Amino acid sequence: MSLQPDDTSPKGHAAQPRGWLRVVIVVPLALAFVAAAVGFIGFLSQLRGVETDPPHNADGIVVLTGGSSRVSDAMELLAAGYGKRLLISGVHPTNDAGDISRSVPDSRGLMSCCVDLDRSAVNTRSNAAETRRWARERGFKSLIVVTSNYHMPRAIVELSHAMPDITLIPFAVVGDKWRDEPWWTSGAAFRLLLSEYAKYVAAEMRVRLADIGLDLTSDLAEPAAAPRRPATAQAN
């Protein structure tokens, strides 16, 4: 005579809560993983693989430092007349206009007339705050934004939040490594994209919370005193 397990035993009752506990833990984790994967794919779909000229001119141009050829591309746009002035945001405090002129050939004339240097910004949020001050000071209503393609989604989130009344035109810089090999074949590129995606999601969440009154960036609010003028290659 075979013996069947008794579900009414203490062991049977104990197994049921453990089964539900696994479901409660595993299902949300699985859903979170799927949501993150879908979001990552959506993030990748925003990244441009080739550089394209802006569709039209703007009042000014801003380039966010940190990636190869960003400044040189921005100088080329300025030279082509796509904007009246250029703000280079995030310049190292020890660098000056001469350093940039040496790194960007044929830029000396533009540096002396039409380029402003912002040495205060240390991250994308402060880039946005300093760009807002510069644009308002100049009375600009439209800006071409120059930064790397992988950084552009987060940059637009921060800049559009800081300057909702200013039209932003993205100009995504595509690095040589991005052109030479697919990002999924490079561990370093994949880690960079994952890191940038996490920062992008964090920026989106913070901006959405700010929109409903939960502002976590009071440190970037406009000061009561007159705004600081960015360092400029020429006294204005």
Side-chain angles (χ1 to χ4, degrees), residues 31-176:
L31 292 175
F33 177 80
V34 171
V38 171
F40 185 58
I41 293 172
F43 169 76
L44 293 175
S45 69
Q46 300 181 57
L47 308 188
R48 296 184 180 179
V50 295
E51 295 180 3
T52 57
D53 292 337
H56 52 81
N57 295 358
D59 293 333
I61 304 169
V62 57
V63 56
L64 312 185
T65 61
S68 62
S69 77
R70 294 183 190 180
V71 174
S72 60
D73 282 8
M75 294 294 292
E76 289 178 6
L77 291 174
L78 181 65
Y82 280 100
K84 302 171 188 174
R85 294 192 69 85
L86 167 65
L87 173 67
I88 305 177
S89 181
V91 176
H92 192 278
T94 61
N95 289 350
D96 59 19
D99 295 322
I100 296 174
S101 295
R102 284 189 292 273
S103 63
V104 182
D106 304 323
S107 66
R108 190 174 300 277
L110 290 173
M111 290 296 300
S112 64
C113 76
C114 311
V115 178
D116 299 312
L117 307 181
D118 158 41
R119 297 187 178 91
S120 300
V122 295
N123 55 34
T124 307
R125 278 191 290 167
S126 51
N127 283 141
E130 295 303 322
T131 300
R132 174 181 59 200
R133 293 188 180 100
W134 178 77
R136 288 180 177 176
E137 191 174 89
R138 299 286 179 184
F140 290 165
K141 297 300 182 182
S142 59
L143 295 175
I144 294 174
V145 180
V146 181
T147 190
S148 298
N149 59 342
Y150 61 83
H151 182 233
M152 185 62 76
R154 180 160 61 102
I156 293 299
V157 168
E158 298 286 7
L159 289 164
S160 61
H161 178 63
M163 303 176 290
D165 56 332
I166 292 180
T167 301
L168 302 177
I169 305 169
F171 179 86
V173 177
V174 181
D176 292 336

